[in-house]
Amino acid sequence: METAALIVVLVIALALFFDFTNGFHDTANAMATPIATGALKPKTAVLLAALLNLVGAFLSTEVAKTVSGGIVNEGDISHALLPSLIFAGLIGAITWNMLTWLLGLPSSSSHALFGGLIGATLVGVGTAGINFGVVLSKVVLPALIAPLTAGIIAFAATKIAYGITRRYDGKPDGRSGFRLGQIFTSSMVALAHGTNDAQKTMGVITLALITVGWQSGAHHEPQLWVIVSCAVTIALGTYLGGWRIIRTLGKGLTEVKPAQGFAAESSTAATILASSALGFALSTTQVASGSVIGSGLGRRGSQVRWRTAGRIALGWLLTLPAAGGVGALAALVVVWLGTPGVIIDAILAVAIIVGLYLRSRRNEVTHANAMSDVADSGHAVEHPEVPPPTRRQTRIELVRAMARAERKADEAEKAGRRARKLKKNGGSEAEIKAARKAADRANRKLAEARTAAEEWEALSASRRARARLAEWDVSDEEAERREAQR
């Protein structure tokens, strides 16, 4: 029993460290876009995120119940073995979290945790230890649906925001008033993050407590001290770290404008809060990334840079199996060696964490350089310097072109009548020649005006044709001037 108690203490310590890494890994979910748009200063944004993560951790325990009483069939696993398997799973999750943090890759802390637990359990007891129905309904399906849903909502919200405000605001950076709204929406994302991600660590600790009899298996709600510990730890991690992820998500995905940021954060907060209420153990990182990409595509003339988008999607796909593989290796050591295996795993985990941290110090990212250009990745969504015209703008130009064509038709008719009249009345040869030249010139302008009207008519009916009018390589001053004119 003393050995089991010691392992549970190690599990609690490692789970809280995972909660800490989750905090600095997921700071960007709420605060990358308001920092990118200038709505909040980096230090202010991260402090606000930390406080709201702390508050959010107290608002819901549905996700904690899913983790503590749904994914792993604790009744089919020896209570002497389960704490060691949880410990091994946490090693897999933390190792992957630290590696993706070093690379600046917005992977999923949540899926790292689930992957580690699943991999360790499969090695320890086989498939009987996993509740695959809950894994599919509460983890896998939300992982596939939530980012897509958030991206679609953000895309639609960005279109609506730009459509409503376009005629009233000609500023090149567009709808700067949305920066005030971003303070509220980013706060909602931070609050939502606390209601979902902090709960997962609570669930792990609660599961460990149940296995050694320190909590009744009939009640999977986390105890108050567990809630407080996890809330404080994730808030501390949020404040102390996260600059490297913020740099990739805020500037590496897309050049975020205020209206985009507002739409992306609204979509992220709504998706996470709804999932927390339903007990879905969602990846907030995937939701945030999907929202940022969706809002970027909502701007006119945008194009996807598949290299960056593919790099991020690859990180998402690799998280579960990669963390599961590390957790499985750690569990294998425990199964072979027993308690000494737990000690060996602990030593290896500390060595890996310290090694990755020291490696990260070679290219440190702080609040002073967090928004610098991403070194290894471009933008997932690329925007032209001068966006193509909207359908409304093309229709306005069409009306103008048709009016001009009518004026040129009148001028050509008058010039032709004057030439005929001079010839009929016996005007001089020079006068007749000049009148004919004027008539020819008027007819050419008429033809040009009709051609322009036809082109604008075709543009108003074809989105693809309008997109070809986007200009990508012009000076900043020229881009601002043209956007203001639109």
Side-chain angles (χ1 to χ4, degrees):
M1 182 64 185
E2 292 181 359
T3 302
L6 177 61
I7 293 174
V8 169
V9 171
L10 289 175
V11 166
I12 293 172
L14 197 61
L16 290 176
F17 182 76
F18 171 80
D19 206 29
F20 179 83
T21 65
N22 193 359
F24 71 66
H25 198 276
D26 288 355
T27 307
N29 295 345
M31 295 304 166
T33 47
I35 293 174
T37 62
L40 291 170
K41 294 181 179 180
K43 278 192 172 182
T44 303
V46 175
L47 177 60
L48 182 62
L51 292 175
L52 289 170
N53 263 300
L54 178 66
V55 174
F58 289 90
L59 298 182
S60 172
T61 59
E62 292 302 317
V63 175
K65 295 175 187 177
T66 298
V67 176
S68 63
I71 294 176
V72 176
N73 294 323
E74 66 270 17
D76 297 333
I77 305 175
S78 167
H79 286 186
L81 178 61
L82 185 54
S84 300
L85 296 181
I86 296 174
F87 185 78
L90 286 170
I91 290 175
I94 290 173
T95 301
W96 183 255
N97 247 12
M98 292 293 292
L99 180 61
T100 53
W101 173 72
L102 173 66
L103 298 175
L105 181 65
S107 70
S108 169
S109 300
S110 305
H111 290 168
L113 175 61
F114 300 140
L117 289 176
I118 292 170
T121 304
L122 287 175
V123 168
V125 296
T127 57
I130 303 297
N131 189 338
F132 287 100
V134 173
V135 171
L136 181 64
S137 63
K138 299 283 189 176
V139 178
V140 177
L141 288 180
L144 298 175
I145 296 172
L148 178 62
T149 302
I152 292 172
I153 294 172
F155 174 84
T158 303
K159 286 289 188 184
I160 293 171
Y162 272 79
I164 291 174
T165 60
R166 185 169 304 283
R167 69 181 65 185
Y168 304 111
D169 190 351
K171 293 182 179 179
D173 101 358
R175 294 102 197 132
S176 58
F178 279 104
R179 287 195 180 98
L180 295 176
Q182 277 191 274
I183 298 175
F184 172 75
T185 53
S186 60
S187 299
M188 289 300 296
V189 174
L191 188 71
H193 181 264
T195 67
N196 200 284
D197 275 45
Q199 306 297 318
K200 294 153 191 170
T201 309
M202 296 180 198
V204 170
I205 295 176
T206 300
L207 179 60
L209 295 177
I210 291 174
T211 60
V212 294
W214 293 358
Q215 181 172 330
S216 171
H219 302 284
H220 288 275
E221 295 86 356
Q223 299 176 28
L224 180 60
W225 70 267
V226 175
I227 296 175
V228 173
S229 300
C230 293
V232 172
T233 304
I234 197 171
L236 186 63
T238 299
Y239 183 70
L240 293 181
W243 305 113
R244 189 178 302 273
I245 306 292
I246 283 176
R247 182 175 68 177
T248 298
L249 193 62
K251 286 289 188 182
L253 288 180
T254 180
E255 292 290 343
V256 183
K257 297 293 185 180
Q260 286 176 254
F262 181 85
E265 292 153 13
S266 300
S267 172
T268 300
T271 304
I272 296 173
L273 287 173
S275 299
S276 297
L278 296 172
F280 291 159
L282 200 64
S283 168
T284 55
T285 302
Q286 291 183 5
V287 174
S289 298
S291 295
V292 171
I293 293 175
S295 67
L297 290 173
R299 285 173 59 187
R300 283 184 293 133
S302 58
Q303 294 182 0
V304 178
R305 283 188 172 176
W306 294 107
R307 181 178 179 182
T308 300
R311 174 175 172 263
I312 292 171
L314 182 62
W316 294 350
L317 294 174
L318 288 178
T319 297
L320 268 172
V326 179
L329 289 175
L332 197 61
V333 175
V334 171
V335 171
W336 284 348
L337 302 178
T339 302
V342 175
I343 298 174
I344 293 173
D345 279 346
I347 295 173
L348 290 175
V350 171
I352 291 171
I353 292 168
V354 172
L356 290 174
Y357 177 74
L358 292 177
R359 174 65 180 81
S360 73
R361 302 293 292 181
R362 299 181 185 177
N363 185 24
E364 185 177 7
V365 180
T366 66
H367 70 277
N369 65 354
M371 299 314 298
S372 60
D373 292 335
V374 181
D376 298 326
S377 63
H379 305 298
V381 180
E382 185 179 16
H383 300 101
E385 298 291 343
V386 179
T390 63
R391 179 178 296 180
R392 176 176 174 271
Q393 290 169 344
T394 56
R395 286 175 177 172
I396 292 173
E397 293 297 333
L398 172 59
V399 171
R400 291 175 178 171
M402 291 178 68
R404 184 171 181 270
E406 290 179 2
R407 290 197 305 271
K408 295 303 177 183
D410 291 339
E411 292 175 4
E413 186 177 352
K414 290 178 181 178
R417 284 201 304 266
R418 184 170 181 274
R420 290 192 298 272
K421 185 176 180 181
L422 285 172
K423 184 177 180 180
K424 183 178 179 180
N425 295 336
S428 66
E429 185 176 346
E431 289 177 332
I432 295 173
K433 187 176 181 180
R436 285 176 176 172
K437 285 184 178 180
D440 292 340
R441 188 164 54 251
N443 284 319
R444 285 196 300 271
K445 290 183 178 180
L446 172 60
E448 292 173 359
R450 285 176 173 170
T451 301
E454 290 172 358
E455 290 175 353
W456 283 112
E457 186 174 9
L459 286 172
S460 66
S462 172
R463 182 178 181 276
R464 182 174 296 179
R466 291 195 301 273
R468 287 196 290 266
L469 295 182
E471 297 183 37
W472 298 88
D473 297 313
V474 299
S475 66
D476 293 340
E477 294 78 7
E478 180 66 12
E480 292 179 3
R481 184 186 68 78
R482 296 187 188 183
E483 179 67 16
Q485 286 178 348
R486 292 185 185 279

